[in-house]
Amino acid sequence: MPLHPSLLDHLRAANTPPAVETVLSLGDIAASAVTDFNNTDAGRERRRAASSLESITDREIRAAFETSFELSGKLADYIDLPTPTPEDLAEAGVDYAYLAGEYERMEAEGLEPRIVLAPHSLGLDNWRAIFSKATADSTIPNNPLKDPGDGAGLYVWDDAAAIWHTFDKAPSHTTAPGQAELAHVTTTTHGGVGDTATWTIRIVPGTQTPHHLKKSYAQTVTEGIQHQTVPEMLTDKLTAIMVGQPPTDTTHWAWCDNGKLGAGSAPFGYWLVGGGQVGVGLSVVDYSGGILGSRSPVG
């Protein structure tokens, strides 16, 4: 930033201190000028842009992030739940440059990345309401969701429903460098007096078949393999349906985080093609059948 001519004249006329001290003095002046600029509207706008999706330089990747916010917003609208903005999440600690780099890497590796902006701690009743509204949503192209009588668009095993609260929670693990835990933002329905949701954003492999097949949940935990949460799984499948894409796990199941290390059971998700329902089941952590795999998120 150029110095004002009068300031330069003042500096020349003054008794010049040692060279090192002069550099430090000019550095202090520059730092003060930067601070002043940051406190202006223009400075705040520049910081806002840097912390928003505008910081993602690749247009296609930025568009994928924008779409994820739009689709999760539609999901939340079914129960009048506010969604966080990209800036809200950036302020909480989300590093979009890192996520964009991971998205690009996963694409190059054929992992078909899915950006998942998911609400946690909503409770099963709210998820049932979301899927019921989605099942009746005529704006969804070729809507495959159905209501066969045991759950509109969503089928939950009884034993999974009984312990829903143990795995309906936001993940804390993060792969982002320099961060101790995953960033999150909380929103509340009904003007701040209703149900709350804790939102996180991560990227999940979107290949039709999950990875780490034939490994029990207990084995994956021992190997340090992370899992998508049940809310992330539900969000991923429903937002895919919203844009006319087939959900993952039509022939296999994918483990989900059980929310309590060492517990005797863990949930998993799948898509019932003929039944038109996303399924949430439960299995013992030692089961290692070939139908079960894992989807390791980054974020």
Side-chain angles (χ1 to χ4, degrees), residues 155-164 166-167 230 253-258 263-270 279-285 287 292:
Y155 179 74
V156 181
W157 295 19
D158 289 342
D159 47 1
I163 61 169
W164 190 270
T166 66
F167 50 74
V230 167
W253 302 344
W255 288 114
C256 295
D257 195 322
N258 70 358
S265 58
F268 56 84
Y270 57 96
V280 181
L282 198 71
S283 179
V284 293
V285 295
Y287 178 74
L292 262 167

Side-chain angles (χ1 to χ4, degrees), residues 31-210:
S32 177
V34 169
T35 299
D36 290 342
F37 175 76
N38 283 342
N39 288 330
T40 66
D41 289 341
R44 283 188 286 271
E45 176 61 21
R46 186 176 70 176
R47 294 200 313 277
R48 184 203 66 78
S51 65
S52 73
L53 299 183
E54 296 169 29
S55 64
I56 301 175
T57 56
D58 187 290
R59 292 184 179 181
E60 290 186 1
I61 295 177
R62 183 168 66 243
F65 274 86
E66 291 169 347
T67 297
S68 72
F69 275 86
E70 293 170 2
L71 295 177
S72 289
K74 181 175 181 177
L75 179 154
D77 283 346
Y78 288 138
I79 57 171
D80 298 321
L81 175 68
T83 53
T85 65
E87 293 76 20
D88 291 334
L89 285 162
E91 186 175 345
V94 169
D95 184 343
Y96 290 113
Y98 165 72
L99 287 177
E102 288 298 287
Y103 186 97
E104 187 173 20
R105 174 189 63 79
M106 293 172 72
E107 270 195 323
E109 294 177 4
L111 297 177
E112 301 177 24
R114 303 272 190 93
I115 302 163
V116 183
L117 174 63
H120 298 82
S121 304
L122 271 182
L124 180 53
D125 287 345
N126 274 323
W127 277 109
R128 282 176 167 152
I130 288 170
F131 273 86
S132 178
K133 294 286 185 66
T135 302
D137 190 345
S138 60
T139 68
I140 294 177
N142 302 312
N143 193 341
L145 295 170
K146 300 176 183 178
D147 184 3
D150 53 3
L154 177 64
Y155 179 74
V156 181
W157 295 19
D158 289 342
D159 47 1
I163 61 169
W164 190 270
H165 64 282
T166 66
F167 50 74
D168 183 17
K169 58 184 68 173
S172 59
H173 179 269
T174 181
T175 59
Q179 295 189 11
E181 62 179 29
L182 187 67
H184 64 272
V185 171
T186 299
T187 64
T188 308
T189 61
H190 309 303
V193 295
D195 298 315
T196 62
T198 301
W199 293 85
T200 62
I201 186 167
R202 295 199 292 183
I203 306 175
V204 175
T207 52
Q208 182 54 235
T209 302

Side-chain angles (χ1 to χ4, degrees), residues 18-37:
V20 173
E21 294 183 13
T22 301
V23 171
L24 291 176
S25 178
L26 291 174
D28 291 341
I29 293 171
S32 177
V34 169
T35 299
D36 290 342
F37 175 76

